[in-house]
Amino acid sequence: SGTLAGSVASRFEAVPPEPPRLKVALAGLGTVGLGVLRWLRGLGQDLELTGILVSDRDRTRQDDVPRELLTDNWRDLLSPPPDLVIEVIGGTGVAAELISAARGRGIAVVTANKELLARKPALGRAAATRHWPPLRAAASVGGGVPALEHAALIAADNPVQSLTGVLNGTCNFVLERLQAGDTYPAAITAAQRLGFAEADPHLDVSGLDSVYKLSLLCTTLFGTGLPPAAIECRGLETVTPEQVQAAGRQGQVLKLVAAAERHGSRVRGRVSVQALAPDDPLARGRNAENCLFIHHADGRTHALHGKGAGRYPTTCSVLADVMEIRREILGGQAEGAARKTG
Ligand code: HSE
C-alpha cells in the first residue's frame, strides 16, 4: 500500500510476476547513510546495491560495510546507471553534481538534503511535485515525521494561511539539556553522539537548518518558494544557558520556533527562540522531537509530531521514498509489458 497517510485510498500496482531487482546507488555513509545501508541490505531480494560513495575509501569501517562497493568518485555511482540514487551526503558540492547528473540521465533520486533543495528552487519544486524522473525528499524535513507528504496533502485540500513548528531536533535537545543544567559544549557533544546534529552542528544551532526546512515547507504549502535569505533567522546564539535556566525557573520553556504566514501573494518567514508556556502545543516536543502546526484560512489546524532527528527515524523516511519509487518503476514496467502483449 502507499506510504502517504491521509484521505487518499491505497491502490495496488500491477507488478511483473518476477519483478527485477531495483538497482540502487548510495551516496554517503554517515549517520543516516549507515542506517540506510543496513536497511537496504535487509530488503535482500527487492534491491541490488550497486555502489556506495564515501569521502575516504581507506577509512576503517564497520564489518557490515561491503568494501568492494565503496568509491570516492561520484561518477562511478552512475556507471553503469542504477535505477535510483540515494543521496545522504548533504551540502551543495558533490551532492549537487551527483543529483544533477543523475536526473539528467533519467535516474530517480531520493535525498535528505534540505540545504540543496532550499538553495536550488528548481530542485525544491521538483521535490514538491510528481514528475519524472522522481525526486523525493521525505527525510529532508521532520526526520521520521512525514512532514512534506502531509504538507502536500493538506495544501491540496484547502488554502493554507500559516505554519508554526519546531523543526530542528538538535536545538530542541540542546535547549532541554541547558535547562537541566548541562553546559553548552556538553549538550552539543551529546547531540552529536546520539546522531541528531548535522556534520557541522553550527547549521543546527544557528537556525539555518530550520530555515532550509521552513523554506521547503513553504514551497509545498504555499506553492511559492521562500528563499532562505528571505527568512529572518535568530538561532541559539541569542540566548545564554543562564537565560534558558532562568526561563525554566519562571515556568517557561525555550524553543527554536520556525513560522511562516501568507500576506496576500507574499509569504513571510522567521526562525527564532521563543519563551513558551509548558502547555503550549509547540512546547510539548521532548528530546529531538519535532512538531508542526499547519493552519488553514478557515481556522482548521493540522498537527504533526514525532522523532525529528537520528539515524533510524531519518532512515525510515528515506526507505519510504525508496519503496514508493520502486512501486512506481515496477508499475511502469508492468504497464509497458501489458501494452506490448496487449
Ligand atoms: N540535524 C537535524 C536536526 C537532523 O537536528 O533536526 C534532522 O534533519
Side-chain angles (χ1 to χ4, degrees):
S1 58
T3 57
L4 292 182
S7 57
V8 179
S10 295
R11 68 189 174 95
F12 290 95
E13 301 285 355
V15 292
E18 284 184 37
R21 296 169 93 191
L22 192 76
K23 293 189 177 62
V24 179
L26 173 63
L29 210 47
T31 301
V32 179
L34 194 58
V36 171
L37 171 67
R38 288 177 176 156
W39 281 22
L40 284 179
R41 298 192 97 193
L43 290 170
Q45 293 308 306
D46 294 340
L47 305 167
E48 177 188 344
L49 197 58
T50 57
I52 304 172
L53 179 66
V54 290
S55 54
D56 178 4
R57 282 175 64 189
D58 299 325
R59 220 176 87 185
T60 311
R61 308 261 170 202
Q62 279 83 350
D63 290 346
D64 55 351
V65 172
R67 300 191 65 83
E68 68 283 5
L69 293 182
L70 299 185
T71 175
D72 52 16
N73 181 348
W74 66 262
R75 290 178 181 80
D76 291 346
L77 282 199
L78 304 183
S79 171
D83 299 304
L84 168 67
V85 170
I86 301 173
E87 183 276 307
V88 284
I89 329 172
T92 55
V94 171
E97 289 185 288
L98 173 63
I99 289 179
S100 161
R103 288 178 55 73
R105 290 174 210 187
I107 297 169
V109 172
V110 170
T111 178
N113 197 329
K114 52 238 161 177
E115 178 175 2
L116 182 63
L117 298 186
R119 289 194 181 281
K120 304 263 182 209
L123 284 181
R125 278 194 300 277
T129 50
R130 290 284 184 262
H131 292 299
W132 196 266
L135 174 64
R136 296 289 152 74
S140 61
V141 181
V145 181
L148 287 177
E149 293 102 310
H150 275 280
L153 287 174
I154 289 164
D157 174 46
N158 209 336
V160 170
Q161 179 59 30
S162 64
L163 73 140
T164 48
V166 170
L167 303 178
N168 184 273
T170 300
C171 289
N172 206 52
F173 175 84
V174 166
L175 287 168
E176 207 169 273
R177 295 294 287 256
L178 293 181
Q179 188 154 0
D182 271 11
T183 63
Y184 196 76
I188 296 281
T189 304
Q192 288 175 306
R193 199 182 57 244
L194 292 164
F196 300 152
E198 296 297 299
D200 173 6
H202 175 72
L203 287 171
D204 295 295
V205 294
S206 65
L208 269 178
D209 179 85
S210 298
V211 163
Y212 299 140
K213 291 168 177 169
L214 185 63
S215 169
L216 293 181
L217 282 167
C218 287
T219 301
T220 302
L221 286 171
F222 301 118
T224 164
L226 187 58
I231 297 175
E232 189 187 332
C233 176
R234 291 168 62 76
L236 298 201
E237 74 280 0
T238 56
V239 287
T240 63
E242 292 71 31
Q243 287 171 321
V244 179
Q245 286 169 20
R249 286 194 296 276
Q250 288 161 16
Q252 290 181 314
V253 185
L254 294 192
K255 297 283 178 190
L256 187 72
V257 176
E261 186 162 11
R262 187 199 289 275
H263 296 270
S265 61
R266 299 194 57 186
V267 176
R268 289 207 193 111
R270 183 162 197 253
V271 170
S272 60
V273 179
Q274 292 188 15
L276 306 168
D279 60 351
D280 188 305
L282 280 169
R284 285 193 203 135
R286 294 286 165 264
N287 208 2
E289 287 176 348
N290 280 189
C291 61
L292 176 62
F293 299 91
I294 299 173
H295 310 283
H296 289 294
D298 64 10
R300 284 182 301 142
T301 294
H302 295 265
L304 297 166
H305 185 176
K307 291 187 179 178
R311 171 173 288 159
Y312 288 108
T314 313
T315 295
C316 188
S317 288
V318 170
L319 262 288
D321 280 347
V322 170
M323 297 313 282
E324 195 172 300
I325 287 178
R326 177 173 180 270
R327 274 192 300 277
E328 276 180 35
I329 290 176
L330 294 182
Q333 287 172 352
E335 272 175 32
R339 270 200 301 276
K340 270 189 209 150
T341 53

